[in-house]
Structures are given as structure tokens and as C-alpha cells.
Amino acid sequence: MRLADSFRSERFGAVRIHELQRVIELDSGALDDAFSAGSRVVPPEAIRAVESQMVIVVPCMNESRSVIEGVLSGIPHDCLIVLVSNSDQLPVNRYEIEAQTLEQFCRLAGRSAISVHQQDPGLAAAIKAAGMAELIGEDGLVRAGKGEAMLIGMALAAMTGRRHVGYVDADNYVPGAVHEYCKAYAAGLHLAESPYSMVRISWHSKPKLRDGRLFFSRRGRSSEITNEWLNRFLAEYSGFGTEVIATGNAGEHAMTLELGLKLRLAGGFAVEPYEYLDLFEQFGGILESASPDVMASSGAGAADRDPQPALPRQQGRGTRPGDADAGAERGLPLAGDTARRAAGDRRVHGGAGRAGGGAGAAARAGLPAGGAAWTWSCSTTGWTPRR
């Protein structure tokens, strides 16, 4: 992948935000020279190395089987898939359809994945036992918000022992765009200069399904408002106007788990802009930080990537961790203990030819071989956790 060089960045304490970086070529060919004329090449082996350490979380709610199949097909083979569903289970169990779709995909592709329903009672019990009762609603189940789904996905990602987590919304109707996102995640994380790094995607137009056809709208009104106010916030403290933040509301983004496990996440749809606020509050240098080691090595940043065709544009490079509060939205702490214990009634789907259960099956699925509160056994629907 060939990326335009990033010449400008904004600093807010230990947080460095890189300007939007354009993806010039998705495939830059077999080049040995990583630099040329204002651009930088990330070789295929470097991208694959990051992908082998990446978990892609797909939050899903009532999407059609064909759309889900397209999203799954766009995720690079070496990435582990985690599907977090909040789909209806009555009158038709749409989650069962999603889990079967994922299982069939894994069997045909020879790869592994994990699925979990957000409203599963076992998941709620694990979340509560991990000390995160604020995620539980009045019905005793995890609240039905996107931020909650992303937190569940991050907790499961941390259990796998991999180093990176990325998010791809299930309502992506172009599989090639999903593939492009993941490649941009890997390229940005490879170029990041800090273990606390984030890559966020920006696009000129993102296809949505309206009245039975694809509609390529310009940046949404919510994104424009979010970006404007985040940039105003930076300007208020720096004394200089800026437009460096172009992805305040980006659903497609990835980060190192070293960063993710230091973040709090907001509930519902506030989750993406809240990540910026969380970074600024914890690592902006205005309030005392709970991570002085991160503050002392202030070399990271968040960068925006922007490729060129009409489909989603990329954003990349690193971001520093933080800890903030988004108005009325709640911050949801994500602790290491949560990652170890928030299991719930998930399914681990193995690729073709897999056999066995228990710790061996867990290890083959990319999960820790021991220390978890769950064992794994084979059933007709895939690998199923049992206490």
C-alpha cells in the first residue's frame, strides 16, 4: 500500500493527531524502497504481520444474510472475526441465522470466529461479575447500545492474546470496501510510532441502501457537527484554528489493545467521538493522568487517511490513550479483568477439519489455553462454551 506522507500533526499534551493521509495505491507492487516522492510504501508482508495479530469486531443488528456474508468475505483471512449481535430473536431468531452464516463461512474458508449475542443472560452475568454493573439495564441484560457492543468485542479480543482490534459496521454493502478498511488499519498500525495507536477511516462518500438502491452520500451531518466541535475544542486550548480532526464519528477504526484497554467507552452512538474526548482528558496534560508512563513517552498520534475512489476513504496512524466524559453519556471502564471474564454465551466457530475440545480447541481458535472460566466443546453449531 502506498500512502501520502503526513507532514502536519496537532498536539494536545501527549496526544498527537496526524492530518488526513491519502491512500494513493491499495497495491503498491513489489517495491523494496519504502519511500519515494512524498509517499511511503507499506510492504505486503508488513500488512500481513499486523493482520495476523488483529481481531475484527463486527457489531450487527438485523442485517440480511447476504450483507453479512459480504462483510465476512471482505475481512482478510489472517484476522480473527468477532460478531457481536443485537438482532431480534423473536418472532424469528435472526441471531441464529447470523451464527449459522458465520459457521458456514468459517467452514468454507478454513478459519475461526467468535459470535455472541449482546442480550445473552450469560454475558450479562459475566459482565456483572467483572464489576461492570453499569452496563446492565433494568431487564438484567447488557444495554442495547453500539458502545456496549464495541466494549464486548474489545473484551473478547483481549482474551485472544492478539495485539490489535478493529471495528467494521455490519451495514457495509461493498465487500471490497471492508477489505480496504482492514488493509488501511494494518498499514496505519505498522507505521505507528507508539504502542498506543489508533487508525480511523475517513471517506468522501459511503454507500447506503435507500429505497432499494445504493446511494453515495457526502459526509453525514452528524460527522460534520462532531468534527467541527472537536476541532473547536482543540482550538480553544491551542489558540489556533484547526480542521485536523476529520473522523470524529468514524465507525470504522482500529487500535492497539494496549490503547484500548486504557480507554473508557461511551454507551450508545456516542462511542466514537467519546474516544477522542477520553484521549484528551486522560492524556491532554490538563488533568492528572493515571498513566504517567504513557505521558512520559509522548510519541503517538491519531491520523486520518483518505484514499481516492468514491468508496470509503482511509485514515490512519496512531493515537494516544485518554479518559474523558461526554456530557450525559456514561463512560464505561474496560479493565483487564473484564476481558478475562466477560465470556457469555458465545460460540467459537472452527474452520474445516477442526476436531477436539477443551483447552486444545481454545488454543486452535486463537483463545488462551487456560485460566478462563469456560471450557469449549463441539456441537452441531460449532464450538460452544460451557462452564
Side-chain angles (χ1 to χ4, degrees):
M1 181 178 291
R2 184 184 296 277
L3 305 168
D5 276 337
S6 176
F7 296 105
R8 187 172 65 89
S9 63
E10 297 280 353
R11 291 294 296 263
F12 190 90
V15 182
R16 187 164 79 235
I17 306 168
H18 294 266
E19 65 181 348
L20 198 66
Q21 276 185 279
R22 179 169 163 241
V23 175
I24 300 171
E25 291 182 300
L26 291 171
D27 184 348
S28 56
L31 298 176
D32 295 328
D33 186 6
F35 299 92
S36 74
S39 66
R40 176 178 297 191
V41 169
V42 180
E45 58 271 20
I47 290 177
R48 288 229 167 109
V50 175
E51 289 173 349
S52 68
Q53 291 294 315
M54 185 179 295
V55 176
I56 297 296
V57 177
V58 183
C60 180
M61 185 171 179
N62 296 330
E63 296 297 334
S64 69
R65 178 171 184 147
S66 60
V67 172
I68 295 171
E69 286 176 337
V71 170
L72 297 177
S73 70
I75 298 173
H77 183 86
D78 292 333
C79 297
L80 177 66
I81 300 169
V82 172
L83 178 74
V84 183
S85 174
N86 195 31
S87 297
D88 296 337
Q89 295 181 283
L90 292 172
V92 175
N93 191 336
R94 298 179 68 95
Y95 172 60
E96 188 66 27
I97 296 173
E98 293 162 358
Q100 291 172 358
T101 302
L102 183 60
E103 181 198 358
Q104 183 181 31
F105 170 79
C106 289
R107 189 185 309 117
L108 294 173
R111 58 192 295 183
S112 298
I114 300 172
S115 65
V116 63
H117 196 280
Q118 196 165 330
Q119 299 288 294
D120 184 84
L123 175 64
I127 291 287
K128 192 179 296 184
M132 301 178 66
E134 63 269 31
L135 271 72
I136 308 302
E138 294 180 358
D139 58 359
L141 304 176
V142 175
R143 294 198 306 267
K146 184 180 181 182
E148 288 81 356
M150 289 174 59
L151 188 147
I152 292 166
M154 188 181 294
L156 292 174
M159 294 178 68
T160 69
R162 296 197 176 202
R163 296 175 54 198
H164 312 293
V165 60
Y167 295 95
V168 173
D169 290 340
D171 63 343
N172 276 286
Y173 296 92
V174 182
V178 174
H179 193 71
E180 183 181 343
Y181 295 149
C182 297
K183 295 296 182 183
Y185 294 163
L189 291 169
H190 170 74
L191 293 174
E193 300 165 355
S194 167
Y196 309 104
S197 302
M198 181 182 291
V199 181
R200 299 173 75 94
I201 302 293
S202 175
W203 51 80
H204 288 306
S205 60
K206 182 178 181 181
K208 292 289 186 180
L209 192 64
R210 293 185 183 176
D211 300 324
R213 65 188 183 92
L214 286 178
F215 178 75
F216 291 81
S217 61
R218 297 291 291 178
R219 292 183 179 88
R221 184 169 177 268
S222 296
S223 297
E224 291 180 356
I225 293 173
T226 302
N227 293 337
E228 177 186 355
W229 284 97
L230 286 171
N231 284 316
R232 282 193 185 190
F233 174 81
L234 290 179
E236 178 70 21
Y237 281 92
S238 69
F240 295 91
T242 182
E243 295 182 351
V244 70
I245 296 179
T247 57
N249 212 40
E252 280 75 27
H253 61 286
M255 68 188 81
T256 62
L257 277 166
E258 286 190 70
L259 169 63
L261 295 176
K262 290 182 180 291
L263 289 174
R264 293 184 304 164
L265 301 182
F269 289 111
V271 59
E272 290 98 0
Y274 184 86
E275 288 171 339
Y276 270 111
L277 297 177
D278 201 33
L279 294 170
F280 296 151
E281 183 170 291
Q282 187 173 355
F283 297 94
I286 296 174
L287 303 177
E288 184 176 354
S289 174
S291 302
D293 55 325
V294 177
M295 296 292 291
S297 58
S298 56
D304 300 340
R305 297 198 189 279
D306 184 21
Q308 88 173 354
L311 295 179
R313 313 301 75 183
Q314 273 70 322
Q315 240 197 337
R317 292 299 272 281
T319 304
R320 286 259 174 199
D323 191 318
D325 193 352
E329 295 294 340
R330 293 175 293 274
L332 307 178
L334 178 60
D337 189 53
T338 305
R340 289 191 297 273
R341 300 176 63 183
D345 182 19
R346 59 188 178 182
R347 300 177 184 183
V348 176
H349 306 270
R354 295 195 181 278
R364 285 193 296 275
L367 296 171
W374 301 86
T375 56
W376 305 85
S377 61
C378 186
S379 70
T380 56
T381 57
W383 297 107
T384 305
R386 302 184 186 278
R387 274 185 169 167

